[in-house]
Amino acid sequence: MKKILITGGAGFIGSHVVRRFVKRYPDLNIFNLDALTYAGNLENIKDIENQPNYVFIKGDITDADFINSLFNEHKFEGVIHLAAESHVDRSITDPLAFVKTNVIGTMNLLNAFRDLWKDNYDGKRFYHVSTDEVYGTLGTEGLFTETTPYSPNSPYSASKAASDHFVRAYGETYGLPYVITNCSNNYGPNHFPEKLIPLFINNIINNKPLPVYGDGKYTRDWLYVEDHARAIDLVFHEGKNHETYNIGGFNEWQNIDLVKLLCTLMDVKLGRTEGESEKLITYVKDRPGHDLRYAIDASKINKELGWEPSVTFEQGLEKTIEWYLNNEEWLKNVTSGAYTEYYSKQYQ
Ligand code: NAD
Ligand code: TYD
């Protein structure tokens, strides 16, 4: 059976990708490599842990010797690389951790993959999952396309940009068969409650302040996580080598409008009177280097591979809120211990 390595499969997006591949491709042997940092959680993929075509390996991509021996042992023919430090606010506090995992970790995977297959890359693929944040920020007009120059503004996006450049460079220099996708903001089940949507859902449930950065007029393009996993599946199987594809939701929202919508939906779900949750909105100090607007032109993946989002924002938010309300235990587990410390430092 062909062995495929998925990194970061215990995290938010990775868990949806792993589940999709394990269920859809019984002829592929899916190896999920994850260090189980604060963001990784085996609960996210509990439902597939006993599937015959699935193996979990706890391990760190920054450990080159470990990565090399893993590749030598299993001879992975495909890699889908999602493991990363992923939160902008944490990258402002500890940029080096982002260089280690996002840049050096990616390099270790590239080196191991190259060393294994350099004599014959036929049928092999290295898929690097990246973000639209590498393009920097937009003004009020325009969209990011695949040819927009990179201009990252946060340590997170700079580390992702660096890793994208290395993947591309390995393609040019060593002929490594790669694809890269740059996706907009995801939301959905299993999203760690440090990012806007799950953090605010959790705070609304617990009647805690909703910390809106700055004036709240920052814009993001939101995509339901399973639609991202669908796109990854499609690009992995049908994308062209040495190509980049942008993935987006065609769904721009100013933060403050999104937060108000979330409050309205949650009032209904929690049986609160209209406007009650909105009272929790609290404007707080802005994030340094805060990108004003992200918006993706996803016409390339649409025209070449026929991908488009399948879930509307209303449907996606409904499913997401339902999931958090039905998974209180998950939420409680991930918000205990270290989370409390992070939260009070970040929002003191
Ligand atoms: P996440 O933080 O939820 O999960 C990251 C996973 O990587 C965790 O399971 C963690 O344990 C694992 N990990 C971290 N460091 C590791 C290491 N050194 N070795 C092995 N595993 C390690 O992140 P996510 O939101 O699921 O993002 C996944 C990927 O998608 C990232 O590469 C991110 O840059 C990219 N991306 C995310 C978004 C988004 O909106 N979340 C949008 C576009 C692209
Ligand atoms: P986030 O979910 O961290 O994603 P990213 O910064 O990668 O886009 O943040 C989404 C937007 O929400 C961003 O403009 C920052 C803002 N935000 C807040 O206003 N308050 C918060 O507590 C957080 C976490 C984010």
Side-chain angles (χ1 to χ4, degrees):
M1 243 185 351
K2 212 171 171 173
K3 291 183 178 178
I4 306 295
L5 178 71
I6 300 182
T7 69
F12 167 46
I13 302 170
S15 60
H16 291 274
V17 174
V18 164
R19 176 176 302 103
R20 183 176 178 91
F21 273 72
V22 167
K23 286 194 167 167
R24 271 196 109 200
Y25 302 108
D27 53 330
L28 293 180
N29 205 346
I30 304 300
F31 284 70
N32 174 9
L33 169 66
D34 198 296
L36 299 180
T37 67
Y38 78 91
N41 186 348
L42 289 176
E43 285 296 312
N44 293 348
I45 31 163
K46 204 165 173 35
D47 55 317
I48 49 134
E49 69 186 2
N50 294 322
Q51 293 298 312
N53 63 335
Y54 174 70
V55 178
F56 175 75
I57 300 169
K58 184 173 187 295
D60 192 330
I61 58 167
T62 66
D63 181 343
D65 291 341
F66 163 71
I67 292 296
N68 288 333
S69 63
L70 196 68
F71 273 72
N72 285 329
E73 183 185 349
H74 294 292
K75 316 242 175 316
F76 302 116
E77 296 187 49
V79 175
I80 305 177
H81 174 37
L82 296 109
E85 288 293 339
S86 67
H87 189 36
V88 173
D89 292 330
R90 289 185 192 253
S91 81
I92 295 168
T93 319
D94 185 7
L96 205 53
F98 284 67
V99 175
K100 283 182 187 147
T101 291
N102 299 357
V103 185
I104 296 175
T106 302
M107 298 279 302
N108 288 338
L109 293 166
L110 285 169
N111 285 336
F113 186 83
R114 179 202 57 192
D115 292 349
L116 190 60
W117 300 118
K118 59 180 183 288
D119 295 333
N120 184 0
Y121 282 125
D122 282 356
K124 313 297 181 292
R125 170 153 281 182
F126 189 102
Y127 185 150
H128 180 61
V129 175
S130 192
T131 165
D132 61 353
E133 304 192 24
V134 297
Y135 298 122
T137 188
L138 291 164
T140 48
E141 298 283 306
L143 300 170
F144 294 133
T145 71
E146 288 80 1
T147 55
T148 302
Y150 276 29
S151 184
N153 292 317
S154 73
Y156 163 64
S157 54
S159 68
K160 291 297 289 186
S163 64
D164 292 13
H165 287 320
F166 274 108
V167 174
R168 215 188 133 268
Y170 272 55
E172 294 300 311
T173 306
Y174 306 111
L176 189 132
Y178 74 86
V179 280
I180 299 175
T181 48
N182 296 87
C183 187
S184 64
N185 287 59
N186 286 215
Y187 70 99
N190 305 105
H191 205 182
F192 192 79
E194 63 184 354
K195 310 274 170 65
L196 181 75
I197 291 181
L199 173 73
F200 280 33
I201 291 175
N202 186 36
N203 283 12
I204 293 171
I205 293 173
N206 293 298
N207 262 308
K208 281 171 65 179
L210 306 176
V212 173
Y213 294 161
D215 61 4
K217 297 210 168 132
Y218 296 89
T219 300
R220 298 293 182 262
D221 167 10
W222 294 95
L223 177 69
Y224 190 62
V225 63
E226 285 180 7
D227 276 332
H228 188 188
R230 264 180 55 241
I232 290 175
D233 184 353
L234 200 60
V235 172
F236 182 73
H237 287 102
E238 292 175 32
K240 280 197 215 120
N241 277 337
H242 293 210
E243 289 282 336
T244 283
Y245 299 87
N246 280 353
I247 305 169
F250 304 95
N251 179 38
E252 285 184 53
W253 284 79
Q254 272 196 351
N255 292 342
I256 191 62
D257 296 334
L258 166 52
V259 170
K260 286 183 178 164
L261 172 65
L262 211 49
C263 289
T264 306
L265 296 173
M266 294 289 290
D267 278 344
V268 175
K269 290 276 174 207
L270 296 169
R272 293 182 183 166
T273 54
E274 207 184 317
E276 206 178 322
S277 299
E278 245 187 69
K279 291 187 195 140
L280 299 168
I281 293 175
T282 311
Y283 290 92
V284 300
K285 196 160 105 349
D286 211 348
R287 170 190 281 174
H290 199 165
D291 286 331
L292 178 68
R293 177 171 163 257
Y294 303 143
I296 281 276
D297 175 352
S299 52
K300 179 176 170 182
I301 189 171
N302 176 256
K303 283 198 193 106
E304 291 187 13
L305 303 179
W307 177 89
E308 60 183 3
S310 69
V311 174
T312 66
F313 196 44
E314 290 68 24
Q315 291 167 333
L317 269 187
E318 170 77 24
K319 285 187 196 211
T320 304
I321 293 170
E322 275 293 312
W323 187 86
Y324 281 94
L325 290 175
N326 292 329
N327 288 274
E328 257 180 82
E329 205 51 35
W330 182 94
L331 207 43
K332 268 201 195 117
N333 288 342
V334 301
T335 53
S336 62
Y339 179 86
T340 319
E341 215 176 287
Y342 160 77
Y343 195 91
S344 57
K345 256 199 207 145
Q346 178 65 24
Y347 297 103
Q348 62 199 336

